[in-house]
Short mmCIF file of all heavy atoms in Angstrom, two decimals:
data_model
loop_
_atom_site.label_atom_id
_atom_site.label_comp_id
_atom_site.label_asym_id
_atom_site.label_seq_id
_atom_site.Cartn_x
_atom_site.Cartn_y
_atom_site.Cartn_z
N PRO A 250 -172.25 138.12 96.21
CA PRO A 250 -172.82 139.16 95.35
C PRO A 250 -174.05 139.80 95.99
O PRO A 250 -174.92 139.10 96.50
CB PRO A 250 -173.24 138.41 94.08
CG PRO A 250 -172.63 137.04 94.19
CD PRO A 250 -172.51 136.78 95.66
N THR A 251 -174.11 141.13 95.96
CA THR A 251 -175.27 141.84 96.51
C THR A 251 -175.59 143.06 95.64
O THR A 251 -174.78 143.49 94.83
CB THR A 251 -175.02 142.38 97.95
OG1 THR A 251 -174.29 143.62 97.85
CG2 THR A 251 -174.23 141.41 98.81
N MET A 252 -176.78 143.62 95.91
CA MET A 252 -177.12 144.89 95.29
C MET A 252 -177.00 146.03 96.30
O MET A 252 -177.50 147.14 96.06
CB MET A 252 -178.54 144.83 94.72
CG MET A 252 -178.66 143.78 93.60
SD MET A 252 -180.03 144.06 92.49
CE MET A 252 -181.41 143.99 93.61
N HIS A 256 -178.00 144.59 104.92
CA HIS A 256 -178.62 144.33 106.22
C HIS A 256 -178.04 143.03 106.75
O HIS A 256 -177.18 142.40 106.11
CB HIS A 256 -180.14 144.29 106.08
CG HIS A 256 -180.63 143.38 104.99
ND1 HIS A 256 -180.46 142.01 105.02
CD2 HIS A 256 -181.25 143.65 103.81
CE1 HIS A 256 -180.98 141.48 103.94
NE2 HIS A 256 -181.44 142.45 103.17
N GLY A 258 -179.08 140.11 106.80
CA GLY A 258 -179.17 138.96 105.89
C GLY A 258 -177.93 138.86 105.01
O GLY A 258 -177.31 137.80 104.88
N HIS A 259 -177.56 140.00 104.41
CA HIS A 259 -176.34 140.01 103.59
C HIS A 259 -175.11 139.69 104.44
O HIS A 259 -174.22 138.95 104.03
CB HIS A 259 -176.11 141.40 102.98
CG HIS A 259 -177.19 141.88 102.06
ND1 HIS A 259 -178.02 142.93 102.38
CD2 HIS A 259 -177.56 141.48 100.83
CE1 HIS A 259 -178.85 143.16 101.38
NE2 HIS A 259 -178.60 142.30 100.42
N LEU A 262 -174.29 136.23 105.19
CA LEU A 262 -173.64 135.52 104.07
C LEU A 262 -172.14 135.79 104.07
O LEU A 262 -171.34 134.92 103.71
CB LEU A 262 -174.25 135.95 102.73
CG LEU A 262 -175.77 135.77 102.57
CD1 LEU A 262 -176.18 136.17 101.15
CD2 LEU A 262 -176.21 134.35 102.87
N TYR A 296 -184.19 152.04 93.72
CA TYR A 296 -183.53 151.06 94.60
C TYR A 296 -182.51 151.79 95.50
O TYR A 296 -181.74 152.62 95.01
CB TYR A 296 -182.84 149.97 93.78
CG TYR A 296 -182.59 148.73 94.59
CD1 TYR A 296 -183.60 147.78 94.75
CD2 TYR A 296 -181.38 148.52 95.25
CE1 TYR A 296 -183.40 146.65 95.54
CE2 TYR A 296 -181.18 147.40 96.03
CZ TYR A 296 -182.19 146.46 96.17
OH TYR A 296 -181.99 145.36 96.95
N PHE A 371 -175.05 132.53 98.49
CA PHE A 371 -176.33 133.16 98.13
C PHE A 371 -177.36 132.82 99.20
O PHE A 371 -177.30 131.76 99.82
CB PHE A 371 -176.84 132.65 96.78
CG PHE A 371 -176.00 133.07 95.61
CD1 PHE A 371 -174.87 132.33 95.27
CD2 PHE A 371 -176.30 134.21 94.89
CE1 PHE A 371 -174.07 132.72 94.20
CE2 PHE A 371 -175.51 134.60 93.82
CZ PHE A 371 -174.39 133.85 93.47
N GLY A 372 -178.34 133.70 99.39
CA GLY A 372 -179.34 133.51 100.44
C GLY A 372 -180.53 132.67 99.99
O GLY A 372 -180.97 132.77 98.84
N LYS A 374 -183.35 133.24 101.03
CA LYS A 374 -184.46 134.19 100.89
C LYS A 374 -184.93 134.23 99.43
O LYS A 374 -186.11 134.27 99.14
CB LYS A 374 -183.98 135.57 101.35
CG LYS A 374 -184.69 136.74 100.76
CD LYS A 374 -185.68 137.30 101.73
CE LYS A 374 -186.57 138.35 101.11
NZ LYS A 374 -185.88 139.30 100.28
N ASP A 375 -183.97 134.23 98.51
CA ASP A 375 -184.28 134.18 97.07
C ASP A 375 -184.11 132.73 96.64
O ASP A 375 -183.13 132.36 95.99
CB ASP A 375 -183.33 135.11 96.32
CG ASP A 375 -183.48 136.56 96.75
OD1 ASP A 375 -182.86 136.94 97.77
OD2 ASP A 375 -184.24 137.29 96.11
N GLN A 378 -183.72 131.93 92.96
CA GLN A 378 -182.43 132.42 92.47
C GLN A 378 -181.31 131.45 92.81
O GLN A 378 -180.45 131.14 91.98
CB GLN A 378 -182.15 133.79 93.09
CG GLN A 378 -180.75 134.31 92.84
CD GLN A 378 -180.60 135.73 93.32
OE1 GLN A 378 -181.00 136.66 92.64
NE2 GLN A 378 -180.03 135.90 94.51
N PRO A 399 -179.25 130.52 105.30
CA PRO A 399 -180.64 130.59 105.76
C PRO A 399 -181.19 132.02 105.79
O PRO A 399 -180.41 132.98 105.88
CB PRO A 399 -180.59 130.00 107.18
CG PRO A 399 -179.16 130.05 107.59
CD PRO A 399 -178.34 130.04 106.35
N ILE A 400 -182.50 132.14 105.74
CA ILE A 400 -183.14 133.46 105.74
C ILE A 400 -182.96 134.10 107.11
O ILE A 400 -183.26 133.50 108.14
CB ILE A 400 -184.66 133.33 105.45
CG1 ILE A 400 -184.90 132.64 104.11
CG2 ILE A 400 -185.33 134.70 105.51
CD1 ILE A 400 -186.39 132.39 103.81
N VAL A 401 -182.48 135.33 107.11
CA VAL A 401 -182.37 136.10 108.35
C VAL A 401 -183.60 136.99 108.45
O VAL A 401 -183.99 137.64 107.46
CB VAL A 401 -181.08 136.94 108.36
CG1 VAL A 401 -181.01 137.80 109.62
CG2 VAL A 401 -179.87 136.02 108.27
N MET A 409 -185.66 139.84 106.29
CA MET A 409 -184.95 141.09 106.00
C MET A 409 -184.82 141.28 104.50
O MET A 409 -184.57 140.32 103.76
CB MET A 409 -183.56 141.06 106.63
CG MET A 409 -183.62 141.19 108.12
SD MET A 409 -181.97 141.50 108.79
CE MET A 409 -182.38 141.53 110.52
P1 LIG B 618 -179.76 141.35 97.08
O1 LIG B 618 -178.88 142.46 97.55
O2 LIG B 618 -181.19 141.52 97.43
O3 LIG B 618 -179.53 141.01 95.62
O4 LIG B 618 -179.30 140.07 97.89
C1 LIG B 618 -177.96 139.65 97.86
C2 LIG B 618 -177.88 138.29 98.50
O5 LIG B 618 -178.33 138.37 99.85
C3 LIG B 618 -178.76 137.24 97.82
O6 LIG B 618 -178.05 136.01 97.78
C4 LIG B 618 -179.96 137.16 98.71
O7 LIG B 618 -180.61 135.93 98.68
C5 LIG B 618 -179.31 137.39 100.06
N1 LIG B 618 -180.29 137.86 101.05
C6 LIG B 618 -181.10 138.93 100.94
N2 LIG B 618 -181.90 139.02 102.03
C7 LIG B 618 -181.59 137.98 102.83
C8 LIG B 618 -182.07 137.50 104.10
N3 LIG B 618 -183.04 138.13 104.75
N4 LIG B 618 -181.51 136.39 104.62
C9 LIG B 618 -180.52 135.74 103.95
N5 LIG B 618 -180.03 136.13 102.76
C10 LIG B 618 -180.55 137.23 102.20
#
Side-chain angles (χ1 to χ4, degrees):
T251 82
M252 297 202 300
H256 51 65
H259 299 111
L262 303 183
Y296 201 83
F371 293 85
K374 154 102 189 316
D375 298 84
Q378 171 173 279
I400 302 175
V401 177
M409 288 191 182

